[in-house]
Amino acid sequence: MSVHLVGGGTFEPTDATAPIWAGFRDEAAAHAARAGREVPRIAVITARSGDPAAQAVKIVALLEGAGPVEARTTVVLAAEAAVSAAALADVDGVVVGGGHAPSYRAAVEPVFGELRRQVAAGVPYLGFSAGAMIAAERAIIGGRRIGGVVVSPEPGDQELDEVTIAPGIGLVDVAIEVHVAQWGALSRLVAAVEAGLVEGGLGIDEDTALVVGDGGLRVVGAGSVWRVLPGEQGVVVATMGA
């Protein structure tokens, strides 16, 4: 099974984004079939200020657009609660939504180990925006300065000043950036790699998914995935398209 990392964007179904959700739902359905279930059970986790349930409803609608699902939603009001292992019990797929990355990391941290165990056992994971960022072993969770120097625009700083790296779930071994073309986040990833804060990274545009599975890396959707690796004289940047 695969890890599906979505770079954020709209929750409206389009010709470009429908395959993102359909691919994940199909993998969950395959897992369900092996367990003797006709309809996949999918855990949907959102952690936001205001109305976190609203995003969960949109995610479920996108999944249902790809086929029948039994959604088990866990809604966390940011900074007030955490996800329990019971939310992930006996499911065929896990979706972690988007918003304030530090809040998502805090909410999901108690089940990092369980998420790794589930994915290793064949349960597909989909992270949308913040849910993609925290999937990394060493996650960039915000900030716009390194050593006091601005390295990226304010959108995406997640209310943090210095670029902040924190332990993530550990589903992928490189850092993940999201909203790359839309928020100018590539410069933060380049600067973080060059400064040695992370060993390498992948930046994902909105309405685009990077699928990490046994067959390697695959890009689905409307945009690009940006690969940033250390080089002899700085960093090396390349793109992958759908």
Side-chain angles (χ1 to χ4, degrees):
M1 289 300 166
S2 304
V3 175
H4 303 245
L5 305 175
V6 185
T10 178
F11 285 105
E12 298 299 323
T14 68
D15 290 343
T17 61
I20 294 173
W21 299 94
F24 169 79
R25 189 266 169 196
D26 288 349
E27 286 195 13
H31 185 275
R34 290 193 294 274
R37 289 188 286 269
E38 293 184 4
V39 177
R41 297 172 181 165
I42 298 178
V44 177
I45 297 168
T46 55
R48 299 172 62 88
S49 58
D51 183 7
Q55 187 180 103
V57 170
K58 294 177 181 178
I59 289 172
V60 172
L62 287 167
L63 292 169
E64 290 177 337
V69 299
E70 179 186 333
R72 297 185 172 182
T73 60
T74 298
V75 175
V76 175
L77 194 59
E80 291 190 5
V83 177
S84 71
L88 306 175
D90 202 21
V91 297
D92 303 302
V94 178
V95 178
V96 177
H100 187 243
S103 296
Y104 266 94
R105 186 195 168 279
V108 179
E109 184 178 18
V111 294
F112 278 2
E114 177 61 14
L115 282 168
R116 289 193 297 270
R117 187 194 70 77
Q118 294 244 16
V119 171
V123 173
Y125 173 95
L126 186 148
F128 185 95
S129 187
M133 296 173 78
I134 67 170
E137 184 174 346
R138 287 176 51 77
I140 298 173
I141 60 170
R144 60 191 296 256
R145 302 175 193 269
I146 295 178
V149 177
V150 175
V151 298
S152 61
E154 186 174 348
D157 67 6
Q158 306 287 336
E159 302 175 344
L160 297 173
D161 187 50
E162 282 285 312
V163 172
T164 302
I165 313 297
I169 302 170
L171 301 180
V172 292
D173 59 4
V174 294
I176 301 296
E177 278 281 12
V178 294
H179 307 281
V180 172
Q182 292 73 26
W183 288 3
L186 180 62
S187 61
R188 179 168 68 184
L189 184 57
V190 167
V193 172
E194 189 169 36
L197 300 181
V198 293
E199 295 183 358
L202 295 164
I204 308 168
D205 290 345
E206 290 184 0
D207 297 331
T208 306
L210 173 67
V211 183
V212 183
D214 293 338
L217 305 179
R218 181 166 54 91
V219 181
V220 182
S224 298
V225 171
W226 307 73
R227 189 198 306 260
V228 180
L229 297 171
E232 292 183 1
Q233 298 180 336
V235 299
V236 177
V237 179
T239 60
M240 298 182 287

